[in-house]
Amino acid sequence: MTIYTTSAAALALLLGTTRAHMVMNTPTPFNLHGTDKLLQVNPLGPSFPFPCQGLSDVVSTTSITAGTSQLVNFTGGAQHGGGSCQFSLTYENPLPTDKARWKTIYTLIGGCPVSAEGNLPVTGRDADGRADALHCGNDSGVECIRQFNIPIPKELPNGNATFAWTWFNKIGNREVYMNCAPVSITGGTGGNGNFFRALPDMFLANIPGECTTGNGVLNIPNPGRFGAVLEQPAPGSEGSCAKADGVPTFEGGSGGGSSGTPVSTPVSSASQAPPAASSSGFATQTSSAGGVATPASSTAAAPIPSATTGAGSGSGSGPSGSQPCSPNGAIICFSPTSFGLCANGAAIPQAVAPGTTCNAGVIVRRSAKFAFW
Ligand SMILES: *[C@@H]1O[C@H](CO)[C@@H](O)[C@H](O)[C@H]1NC(C)=O
Ligand SMILES: *[C@@H]1O[C@H](CO)[C@@H](O)[C@H](O)[C@H]1NC(C)=O
Ligand SMILES: *[C@@H]1O[C@H](CO)[C@@H](O)[C@H](O)[C@H]1NC(C)=O
């Protein structure tokens, strides 16, 4: 008996830690180390309140240059098959409890931070005891933890801010996770803050007082203009929340309702983005349209920039270098200059069109020679 009890307790303890969820480790979040450590054993809830699980101990402040991209990386055990996520900012301190004071700069529909059948095997632990799993080392691998280069808009105001990752898991209980990192933004155009205010409010659900999402990959409503569809959203994923207006067409798709056909060439300018960063900056887009783009109406497939067509989709050039992928229709970035369109579970690398770059599942123009709206 005693032995049984002891091992059950030990098992519970073990499960308690192995079931820890994903933690954003870069940019360095509040309480990554220290006594009140961010363990992310639970989603937001009464003991881990919105915003930021109630945590605000600065470990280190990450400097971010507007108009470039910021690496976002994770540590973690339970990936729940991935899901949809947002990257948002607030400039307020203390951290606002009004979600409308958090503005989203990038939205990923599906594939965040994994594209997997379920939970990945635990491969080890970090120095703080958090479970970790296989890392892809890129933004497109499957059955491994991805990392993303998130474009930081050039038009952001400069100053101290808080960068948040919010995550709606694909499989399991309907939950929302949130990690926040103190950042210092420079190089922005600053201005009157109109650009920032016109960004969409962070989407929030699955906590008391908010709606409850449905199952599968969430189609986040009002995702803004900047983002990528890495997996198709599940029908009914809105649950009791506002229903998104079709599968979003990010970037070029926001200019008009070019539904049904591949999205027009996405133009986002990041003239000085280093090739390795593959960041496109998105930044020079002005919000002259009065703000937030509404998602164009539904297209069946993930956004396929016309650049991809130009890059030789006709070339059925044999399976050399073919990589497994999912879902069909997704754009797989092999590198900033090489991509593949996922078809029948495989993607064949091919060069991106001159002047474009592949990042986080979308192909964007590297330099803006012309305005597009
Ligand atoms: C991402 O985080 C993992 C730890 O979970 C680390 O091993 C890996 O080196 C990190 N990748 C980058 C690019 O920092
Ligand atoms: C940002 O925070 C740092 C450290 O708290 C402070 O020294 C600095 O003055 C702040 N900068 C601005 C622009 O508020
Ligand atoms: C992305 O990561 C996966 C898993 O590590 C790997 O199989 C794939 O080749 C990588 N793709 C690129 C372009 O590096």
Side-chain angles (χ1 to χ4, degrees), residues 134-144 323-324 332-335 338:
L134 182 66
H135 284 259
C136 306
N138 62 33
D139 60 11
S140 60
V142 297
E143 301 294 335
C144 50
Q323 300 279 344
I332 308 300
C333 296
F334 293 104
S335 75
S338 166

Side-chain angles (χ1 to χ4, degrees), residues 158-160 184:
N158 295 323
N160 290 332
S184 166

